[in-house]
Coordinates of all heavy atoms in Angstrom, one line a residue:
M12 N 128.1 27.7 67.5 CA 129.4 27.1 67.1 C 130.4 28.2 67.3 O 130.4 29.3 66.8 CB 129.3 26.7 65.6 CG 130.6 26.3 65.1 SD 130.5 25.7 63.4 CE 130.8 27.1 62.5
P13 N 131.4 27.9 68.2 CA 132.5 28.9 68.4 C 133.3 29.1 67.2 O 133.6 28.2 66.4 CB 133.3 28.2 69.5 CG 132.4 27.2 70.2 CD 131.5 26.8 69.1
M14 N 133.7 30.4 67.0 CA 134.6 30.8 65.9 C 135.5 31.9 66.3 O 135.1 32.6 67.3 CB 133.8 31.1 64.7 CG 132.8 32.3 64.9 SD 131.8 32.6 63.4 CE 130.6 31.3 63.6
T15 N 136.6 32.1 65.7 CA 137.5 33.2 66.0 C 137.4 34.2 64.9 O 137.6 34.0 63.7 CB 138.9 32.6 66.1 OG1 139.0 31.6 67.1 CG2 139.9 33.8 66.4
I16 N 137.1 35.4 65.4 CA 137.0 36.6 64.5 C 138.0 37.6 65.1 O 137.9 37.9 66.3 CB 135.6 37.1 64.4 CG1 134.6 36.1 63.9 CG2 135.5 38.4 63.5 CD1 133.1 36.4 63.9
Y17 N 138.8 38.2 64.2 CA 139.8 39.1 64.7 C 139.9 40.3 63.8 O 139.3 40.3 62.7 CB 141.2 38.4 64.9 CG 141.6 37.7 63.7 CD1 142.4 38.3 62.7 CD2 141.3 36.4 63.4 CE1 142.8 37.7 61.6 CE2 141.7 35.7 62.3 CZ 142.5 36.4 61.3 OH 142.9 35.8 60.2
G18 N 140.7 41.3 64.2 CA 141.0 42.4 63.4 C 139.7 43.3 63.2 O 138.9 43.5 64.1
R19 N 139.7 44.0 62.1 CA 138.6 44.9 61.8 C 137.2 44.2 61.8 O 136.2 44.8 62.1 CB 138.8 45.6 60.5 CG 139.8 46.7 60.6 CD 139.3 47.9 61.5 NE 140.2 49.0 61.3 CZ 139.8 50.2 61.7 NH1 138.6 50.5 62.1 NH2 140.6 51.2 61.5
E20 N 137.1 43.0 61.4 CA 135.9 42.2 61.4 C 135.4 42.1 62.9 O 134.2 42.2 63.2 CB 136.0 40.9 60.7 CG 136.0 40.9 59.2 CD 137.4 41.4 58.7 OE1 138.4 41.4 59.5 OE2 137.5 41.7 57.5
A21 N 136.3 41.8 63.8 CA 136.0 41.7 65.2 C 135.5 43.1 65.7 O 134.5 43.2 66.5 CB 137.1 41.2 66.1
W22 N 136.2 44.1 65.3 CA 135.8 45.5 65.7 C 134.4 45.8 65.2 O 133.5 46.3 65.9 CB 136.8 46.5 65.2 CG 136.3 47.9 65.3 CD1 136.5 48.7 66.4 CD2 135.6 48.7 64.4 NE1 135.9 50.0 66.2 CE2 135.3 50.0 65.0 CE3 135.1 48.5 63.1 CZ2 134.6 51.0 64.4 CZ3 134.4 49.5 62.5 CH2 134.2 50.7 63.1
C23 N 134.1 45.5 63.9 CA 132.8 45.7 63.3 C 131.7 44.9 64.1 O 130.7 45.4 64.4 CB 132.9 45.3 61.9 SG 131.3 45.4 61.0
L24 N 132.0 43.6 64.3 CA 131.0 42.8 65.1 C 130.7 43.4 66.4 O 129.6 43.5 66.9 CB 131.5 41.4 65.1 CG 130.5 40.4 65.8 CD1 129.2 40.4 65.2 CD2 131.2 39.0 65.9
Q25 N 131.7 43.8 67.2 CA 131.5 44.4 68.5 C 130.7 45.7 68.4 O 129.8 45.9 69.2 CB 132.9 44.7 69.2 CG 132.7 45.1 70.6 CD 132.1 44.1 71.5 OE1 132.7 43.0 71.7 NE2 130.9 44.4 72.1
S26 N 131.0 46.5 67.3 CA 130.2 47.7 67.1 C 128.7 47.4 66.9 O 127.8 48.0 67.4 CB 130.7 48.5 65.9 OG 132.0 48.9 66.2
L27 N 128.4 46.3 66.1 CA 127.1 45.9 65.8 C 126.4 45.4 67.1 O 125.2 45.7 67.3 CB 127.0 44.8 64.7 CG 127.4 45.3 63.3 CD1 127.7 44.2 62.4 CD2 126.4 46.3 62.8
I28 N 127.1 44.6 67.9 CA 126.6 44.1 69.2 C 126.2 45.3 70.1 O 125.1 45.4 70.6 CB 127.6 43.2 69.8 CG1 127.7 41.9 69.0 CG2 127.1 42.9 71.3 CD1 128.9 41.0 69.5
D29 N 127.2 46.3 70.2 CA 127.0 47.4 71.1 C 125.8 48.3 70.6 O 125.1 48.8 71.4 CB 128.2 48.3 71.1 CG 129.4 47.6 71.8 OD1 129.2 46.6 72.5 OD2 130.5 48.1 71.6
A30 N 125.6 48.4 69.3 CA 124.5 49.2 68.7 C 123.1 48.6 68.9 O 122.1 49.3 68.9 CB 124.7 49.4 67.2
G31 N 123.0 47.3 69.1 CA 121.8 46.7 69.3 C 120.8 46.8 68.1 O 121.3 46.9 66.9
K32 N 119.5 46.9 68.4 CA 118.5 47.0 67.3 C 118.6 48.3 66.5 O 118.0 48.3 65.4 CB 117.1 46.8 67.9 CG 116.9 45.4 68.5 CD 115.5 45.3 69.0 CE 115.4 43.9 69.7 NZ 114.1 43.5 69.9
R33 N 119.2 49.3 67.0 CA 119.2 50.6 66.2 C 120.3 50.4 65.1 O 120.2 51.2 64.1 CB 119.5 51.7 67.1 CG 120.9 51.9 67.6 CD 121.2 53.1 68.5 NE 122.5 53.1 68.9 CZ 123.0 52.5 70.0 NH1 122.2 51.7 70.7 NH2 124.3 52.6 70.3
G34 N 121.2 49.5 65.2 CA 122.2 49.3 64.2 C 123.2 50.4 64.2 O 123.2 51.3 65.1
C35 N 124.2 50.4 63.3 CA 125.1 51.5 63.2 C 125.5 51.8 61.8 O 125.2 51.0 60.9 CB 126.4 51.2 64.1 SG 127.1 49.6 63.8
T36 N 126.1 52.9 61.6 CA 126.4 53.4 60.3 C 127.9 53.8 60.2 O 128.5 54.1 61.3 CB 125.6 54.6 59.8 OG1 126.0 55.8 60.6 CG2 124.1 54.4 60.1
P37 N 128.5 53.9 59.1 CA 129.8 54.4 59.0 C 129.9 55.9 59.4 O 131.0 56.4 59.7 CB 130.1 54.3 57.5 CG 129.3 53.2 57.0 CD 128.0 53.3 57.8
I38 N 128.8 56.6 59.4 CA 128.8 58.0 59.9 C 128.9 58.0 61.5 O 129.7 58.8 62.0 CB 127.5 58.7 59.5 CG1 127.5 58.9 58.0 CG2 127.3 60.0 60.2 CD1 126.2 59.3 57.4
D39 N 128.2 57.0 62.1 CA 128.3 56.9 63.6 C 129.6 56.4 64.1 O 130.2 56.8 65.1 CB 127.2 56.0 64.1 CG 125.8 56.5 63.8 OD1 125.6 57.7 63.6 OD2 124.9 55.6 63.7
R40 N 130.1 55.4 63.4 CA 131.4 54.6 63.8 C 132.3 54.6 62.6 O 132.4 53.6 61.8 CB 131.0 53.2 64.2 CG 130.0 53.0 65.3 CD 130.7 53.2 66.6 NE 131.7 52.2 66.7 CZ 132.4 52.0 67.8 NH1 132.2 52.7 68.9 NH2 133.4 51.1 67.8
P41 N 133.0 55.7 62.3 CA 133.8 55.8 61.1 C 134.9 54.7 61.0 O 135.5 54.4 62.0 CB 134.5 57.2 61.2 CG 133.6 57.9 62.1 CD 133.0 57.0 63.1
A42 N 135.0 54.1 59.9 CA 136.0 53.1 59.6 C 136.2 53.1 58.0 O 135.2 53.4 57.3 CB 135.6 51.7 60.1
P43 N 137.3 52.7 57.5 CA 137.6 52.8 56.1 C 136.8 51.9 55.2 O 136.5 52.2 54.1 CB 139.1 52.6 56.0 CG 139.5 51.9 57.2 CD 138.5 52.3 58.3
R44 N 136.4 50.7 55.7 CA 135.8 49.7 54.8 C 134.6 48.9 55.4 O 134.6 47.7 55.4 CB 136.9 48.7 54.3 CG 138.1 49.4 53.7 CD 138.2 49.3 52.2 NE 137.4 48.3 51.6 CZ 137.8 47.3 50.9 NH1 139.1 47.0 50.8 NH2 137.0 46.5 50.3
W45 N 133.6 49.7 56.0 CA 132.5 49.0 56.7 C 131.9 47.9 55.8 O 131.6 46.8 56.3 CB 131.4 50.0 57.0 CG 131.4 50.4 58.4 CD1 132.0 51.6 59.0 CD2 130.9 49.7 59.5 NE1 131.8 51.6 60.3 CE2 131.1 50.5 60.7 CE3 130.2 48.5 59.6 CZ2 130.7 50.1 61.9 CZ3 129.7 48.1 60.9 CH2 130.0 48.9 62.0
S46 N 131.6 48.2 54.5 CA 131.0 47.2 53.7 C 131.8 46.0 53.5 O 131.2 44.9 53.5 CB 130.6 47.8 52.3 OG 131.8 48.3 51.7
A47 N 133.1 46.1 53.5 CA 134.0 44.9 53.4 C 133.9 44.1 54.7 O 133.9 42.8 54.6 CB 135.4 45.3 53.1
Y48 N 133.9 44.7 55.8 CA 133.9 44.0 57.1 C 132.5 43.3 57.2 O 132.5 42.1 57.6 CB 134.0 45.0 58.3 CG 135.2 45.9 58.2 CD1 135.1 47.2 58.7 CD2 136.4 45.6 57.6 CE1 136.1 48.1 58.6 CE2 137.4 46.5 57.5 CZ 137.3 47.7 58.0 OH 138.3 48.6 57.9
V49 N 131.4 43.9 56.8 CA 130.1 43.3 56.9 C 130.1 42.1 55.9 O 129.6 41.1 56.2 CB 129.0 44.3 56.6 CG1 127.7 43.7 56.4 CG2 128.9 45.3 57.7
H50 N 130.6 42.3 54.7 CA 130.7 41.2 53.7 C 131.4 40.0 54.3 O 130.9 38.9 54.2 CB 131.4 41.7 52.5 CG 131.5 40.7 51.4 ND1 132.6 39.8 51.4 CD2 130.7 40.3 50.4 CE1 132.4 39.0 50.4 NE2 131.3 39.3 49.8
D51 N 132.6 40.2 54.9 CA 133.3 39.1 55.5 C 132.5 38.4 56.6 O 132.5 37.2 56.6 CB 134.7 39.6 56.0 CG 135.6 40.1 54.9 OD1 135.3 39.8 53.7 OD2 136.6 40.7 55.3
L52 N 131.9 39.2 57.5 CA 131.1 38.6 58.5 C 130.0 37.8 58.0 O 129.7 36.7 58.5 CB 130.6 39.7 59.5 CG 131.6 40.4 60.3 CD1 131.0 41.6 61.1 CD2 132.3 39.4 61.3
R53 N 129.3 38.2 56.9 CA 128.2 37.5 56.3 C 128.7 36.2 55.6 O 128.2 35.1 55.8 CB 127.5 38.4 55.3 CG 126.7 39.4 55.8 CD 126.1 40.3 54.7 NE 125.2 41.3 55.2 CZ 125.0 42.4 54.5 NH1 125.7 42.7 53.4 NH2 124.1 43.3 55.0
H54 N 129.7 36.4 54.8 CA 130.1 35.3 53.9 C 131.1 34.3 54.5 O 131.1 33.2 54.1 CB 130.6 35.9 52.5 CG 129.5 36.6 51.8 ND1 128.6 35.9 51.0 CD2 129.2 37.9 51.8 CE1 127.7 36.8 50.6 NE2 128.0 38.0 51.0
D55 N 132.0 34.8 55.3 CA 133.0 34.0 55.9 C 132.5 33.3 57.2 O 133.0 32.2 57.5 CB 134.3 34.7 56.2 CG 135.0 35.2 54.9 OD1 134.6 34.8 53.8 OD2 135.9 36.1 55.1
F56 N 131.6 34.0 57.9 CA 131.2 33.5 59.2 C 129.7 33.2 59.3 O 129.2 32.7 60.3 CB 131.6 34.5 60.3 CG 133.1 34.7 60.4 CD1 133.6 35.8 59.8 CD2 133.9 33.8 61.0 CE1 135.0 36.0 59.8 CE2 135.3 34.0 61.0 CZ 135.8 35.1 60.4
G57 N 128.9 33.5 58.3 CA 127.5 33.2 58.2 C 126.6 34.0 59.2 O 125.5 33.6 59.6
I58 N 127.1 35.2 59.6 CA 126.4 36.1 60.5 C 125.4 36.9 59.7 O 125.7 37.4 58.6 CB 127.4 37.0 61.2 CG1 128.3 36.1 62.1 CG2 126.7 38.0 62.0 CD1 129.5 36.8 62.7
I59 N 124.2 37.0 60.2 CA 123.1 37.7 59.6 C 123.1 39.2 59.9 O 122.9 39.5 61.1 CB 121.7 37.0 59.9 CG1 121.7 35.6 59.5 CG2 120.6 37.8 59.2 CD1 120.6 34.8 60.0
I60 N 123.3 40.0 58.9 CA 123.4 41.4 59.1 C 122.6 42.1 58.0 O 122.8 41.9 56.8 CB 124.9 42.0 59.0 CG1 125.7 41.3 60.1 CG2 124.9 43.5 59.1 CD1 127.2 41.5 59.9
E61 N 121.6 42.9 58.4 CA 120.7 43.6 57.5 C 121.3 44.9 57.1 O 122.0 45.6 57.9 CB 119.4 43.9 58.2 CG 118.4 44.7 57.3 CD 117.1 45.0 58.1 OE1 117.0 44.8 59.3 OE2 116.2 45.4 57.4
T62 N 121.2 45.3 55.8 CA 121.6 46.6 55.3 C 120.4 47.4 55.0 O 119.5 47.0 54.2 CB 122.4 46.5 54.1 OG1 123.6 45.7 54.3 CG2 122.9 47.8 53.6
I63 N 120.2 48.6 55.7 CA 119.2 49.5 55.4 C 119.8 50.7 54.8 O 120.7 51.3 55.3 CB 118.4 49.9 56.7 CG1 117.9 48.6 57.4 CG2 117.4 50.9 56.5 CD1 117.4 48.9 58.8
H64 N 119.3 51.2 53.6 CA 119.8 52.3 53.0 C 119.0 53.6 53.4 O 117.8 53.6 53.4 CB 119.7 52.2 51.4 CG 120.6 51.0 51.0 ND1 121.9 51.1 50.8 CD2 120.3 49.7 50.7 CE1 122.4 50.0 50.4 NE2 121.4 49.1 50.3
E65 N 119.8 54.6 53.9 CA 119.2 55.8 54.4 C 119.7 57.0 53.7 O 120.9 57.1 53.3 CB 119.5 56.0 55.9 CG 119.1 54.9 56.8 CD 119.5 55.0 58.2 OE1 120.5 55.7 58.5 OE2 118.8 54.4 59.1
D66 N 118.8 58.0 53.5 CA 119.2 59.3 52.9 C 119.9 60.1 53.9 O 119.6 60.1 55.1 CB 118.0 60.0 52.3 CG 117.3 59.3 51.2 OD1 118.1 58.6 50.4 OD2 116.1 59.4 51.0
H67 N 120.8 61.0 53.5 CA 121.4 62.0 54.4 C 121.6 63.3 53.6 O 121.8 63.2 52.4 CB 122.7 61.5 55.1 CG 123.8 61.2 54.1 ND1 124.1 60.0 53.7 CD2 124.7 62.0 53.6 CE1 125.1 60.0 52.9 NE2 125.5 61.3 52.8
G68 N 121.5 64.4 54.2 CA 121.7 65.7 53.6 C 123.1 66.2 53.8 O 124.0 65.4 54.0
G69 N 123.2 67.5 53.7 CA 124.6 68.1 53.9 C 125.2 68.4 52.6 O 124.7 68.2 51.5
Q70 N 126.5 68.8 52.7 CA 127.2 69.2 51.6 C 127.4 68.1 50.6 O 127.5 68.3 49.4 CB 128.6 69.8 52.0 CG 129.4 70.3 50.9 CD 130.8 70.9 51.3 OE1 131.1 70.8 52.5 NE2 131.5 71.4 50.4
F71 N 127.6 66.9 51.1 CA 127.8 65.7 50.3 C 126.6 64.8 50.5 O 126.7 63.6 50.9 CB 129.1 65.0 50.7 CG 130.3 65.9 50.5 CD1 130.8 66.4 51.7 CD2 130.8 66.2 49.3 CE1 131.9 67.3 51.5 CE2 131.9 67.0 49.2 CZ 132.5 67.6 50.3
S72 N 125.4 65.3 50.2 CA 124.1 64.5 50.4 C 124.1 63.3 49.5 O 124.8 63.2 48.5 CB 122.9 65.4 50.1 OG 122.9 65.8 48.7
G73 N 123.4 62.3 50.0 CA 123.3 61.0 49.2 C 122.6 60.0 50.1 O 121.7 60.3 50.9
T74 N 123.2 58.8 50.1 CA 122.7 57.7 51.0 C 123.9 57.1 51.7 O 125.0 57.2 51.3 CB 122.0 56.6 50.2 OG1 122.9 56.0 49.2 CG2 120.8 57.2 49.4
H75 N 123.5 56.4 52.8 CA 124.5 55.6 53.5 C 123.8 54.4 54.0 O 122.6 54.3 54.0 CB 125.1 56.4 54.7 CG 124.1 56.8 55.7 ND1 123.5 58.0 55.7 CD2 123.7 56.1 56.8 CE1 122.6 58.1 56.7 NE2 122.8 56.9 57.4
A76 N 124.6 53.4 54.4 CA 124.0 52.1 54.9 C 124.0 52.2 56.4 O 124.8 52.7 57.1 CB 124.9 51.0 54.5
R77 N 122.9 51.6 57.0 CA 122.8 51.3 58.4 C 122.8 49.7 58.5 O 122.0 49.1 57.8 CB 121.5 51.8 59.0 CG 121.3 51.4 60.5 CD 120.2 52.2 61.1 NE 120.3 53.6 61.1 CZ 121.0 54.3 61.9 NH1 121.7 53.7 62.9 NH2 121.1 55.6 61.8
Y78 N 123.7 49.2 59.3 CA 123.9 47.8 59.4 C 123.3 47.3 60.8 O 123.5 47.9 61.8 CB 125.3 47.4 59.4 CG 126.0 47.7 58.0 CD1 126.9 48.8 57.9 CD2 125.7 47.0 56.9 CE1 127.4 49.1 56.7 CE2 126.3 47.4 55.7 CZ 127.1 48.4 55.6 OH 127.7 48.7 54.4
V79 N 122.4 46.3 60.7 CA 121.8 45.8 61.9 C 122.0 44.3 62.0 O 121.8 43.5 61.1 CB 120.2 46.0 61.8 CG1 119.6 45.6 63.1 CG2 119.9 47.5 61.6
L80 N 122.6 43.9 63.2 CA 122.9 42.5 63.5 C 121.6 41.8 63.8 O 120.9 42.2 64.7 CB 123.9 42.5 64.6 CG 124.3 41.1 65.1 CD1 125.1 40.4 64.0 CD2 125.1 41.2 66.4
H81 N 121.4 40.6 63.2 CA 120.2 39.8 63.5 C 120.6 38.4 64.0 O 119.7 37.7 64.5 CB 119.3 39.7 62.2 CG 118.6 40.9 61.9 ND1 117.6 41.4 62.6 CD2 118.8 41.8 60.9 CE1 117.1 42.5 62.1 NE2 117.8 42.8 61.0
S82 N 121.8 38.1 64.0 CA 122.3 36.8 64.5 C 122.5 37.0 66.0 O 122.8 38.0 66.5 CB 123.6 36.3 63.9 OG 123.5 36.0 62.6
D83 N 122.2 35.9 66.8 CA 122.5 35.9 68.2 C 124.0 35.6 68.3 O 124.5 34.5 67.9 CB 121.7 34.8 68.9 CG 120.2 35.2 69.0 OD1 119.9 36.4 69.1 OD2 119.4 34.3 69.0
V84 N 124.7 36.5 68.9 CA 126.2 36.4 69.1 C 126.6 36.6 70.5 O 126.1 37.5 71.2 CB 126.9 37.4 68.2 CG1 128.4 37.4 68.4 CG2 126.5 37.3 66.7
T85 N 127.4 35.7 71.0 CA 128.0 35.8 72.4 C 129.5 35.9 72.2 O 130.1 35.0 71.6 CB 127.6 34.6 73.2 OG1 126.1 34.6 73.3 CG2 128.1 34.8 74.6
I86 N 130.1 36.9 72.9 CA 131.6 36.9 72.9 C 132.1 36.1 74.0 O 131.7 36.3 75.2 CB 132.0 38.4 73.1 CG1 131.5 39.3 72.1 CG2 133.6 38.5 73.2 CD1 131.9 39.0 70.7
L87 N 132.8 35.0 73.7 CA 133.3 34.1 74.7 C 134.7 34.6 75.4 O 134.9 34.4 76.5 CB 133.6 32.7 74.1 CG 132.3 32.1 73.6 CD1 132.7 30.7 72.9 CD2 131.3 31.9 74.6
E88 N 135.5 35.3 74.5 CA 136.8 35.7 75.0 C 137.2 36.8 74.1 O 137.0 36.8 72.9 CB 137.8 34.6 74.9 CG 139.1 34.9 75.5 CD 140.1 33.7 75.3 OE1 139.6 32.5 75.5 OE2 141.3 33.9 75.1
Q89 N 137.8 37.9 74.7 CA 138.3 39.0 73.9 C 139.8 39.2 74.3 O 140.2 39.2 75.5 CB 137.6 40.3 74.3 CG 136.4 40.5 73.5 CD 135.7 41.8 73.9 OE1 135.2 41.9 75.0 NE2 135.7 42.8 73.0
E90 N 140.6 39.4 73.3 CA 142.0 39.7 73.5 C 142.4 40.9 72.6 O 142.2 40.9 71.4 CB 142.9 38.6 73.1 CG 142.9 37.4 74.0 CD 143.9 36.3 73.6 OE1 144.9 36.7 73.0 OE2 143.7 35.2 74.0
G91 N 142.8 42.0 73.3 CA 143.4 43.1 72.5 C 142.4 43.9 71.7 O 142.9 44.6 70.8
L92 N 141.1 43.8 71.9 CA 140.2 44.6 71.2 C 140.0 45.9 71.8 O 139.7 46.1 73.0 CB 138.8 43.9 71.1 CG 137.7 44.6 70.3 CD1 138.1 44.7 68.9 CD2 136.4 43.9 70.5
T93 N 140.3 47.0 71.0 CA 140.1 48.3 71.5 C 138.9 48.9 70.8 O 138.7 48.7 69.6 CB 141.4 49.2 71.3 OG1 141.7 49.2 69.9 CG2 142.5 48.7 72.1
R94 N 138.2 49.7 71.5 CA 137.0 50.4 70.9 C 137.2 51.8 70.6 O 137.9 52.5 71.2 CB 135.8 50.2 71.9 CG 135.4 48.8 72.1 CD 134.3 48.8 73.0 NE 134.1 47.4 73.4 CZ 133.1 47.0 74.1 NH1 132.1 47.8 74.4 NH2 133.0 45.7 74.4

């Protein structure tokens, strides 16, 4: 079913498509509100995205999320999307 996704949600979806099965993290692809973009894609558009929680070390050790796209998505048309 065709749908229009724009703005940061479109950027997030393109990042997930580009990452493939390895998924991506806010560490790999910095953006201010990854969890919000993923939430919108899941709840507003019904896109299946897995969240994997990973540990990381360093000065600010803790955990971060890795997001993996599981829905089959095809980009039909792109306007003004910069990577």
Side-chain angles (χ1 to χ4, degrees):
M12 172 172 92
M14 59 184 79
T15 301
I16 301 174
Y17 54 90
R19 283 294 191 158
E20 286 77 12
W22 172 87
C23 178
L24 181 58
Q25 186 66 62
S26 295
L27 291 167
I28 292 167
D29 292 345
K32 293 181 183 197
R33 75 180 179 277
C35 51
T36 73
I38 293 171
D39 301 331
R40 302 278 302 186
R44 305 252 348 241
W45 258 99
S46 59
Y48 311 145
V49 169
H50 178 272
D51 291 347
L52 291 170
R53 286 177 177 151
H54 296 278
D55 295 346
F56 299 100
I58 296 173
I59 300 169
I60 302 169
E61 177 184 13
T62 301
I63 301 168
H64 297 280
E65 300 177 336
D66 294 327
H67 64 264
Q70 183 178 3
F71 302 103
S72 62
T74 62
H75 63 269
R77 176 172 300 276
Y78 299 107
V79 182
L80 178 65
H81 288 289
S82 291
D83 290 326
V84 177
T85 302
I86 305 296
L87 300 176
E88 182 180 328
Q89 271 182 292
E90 287 185 26
L92 179 65
T93 58
R94 295 182 193 188

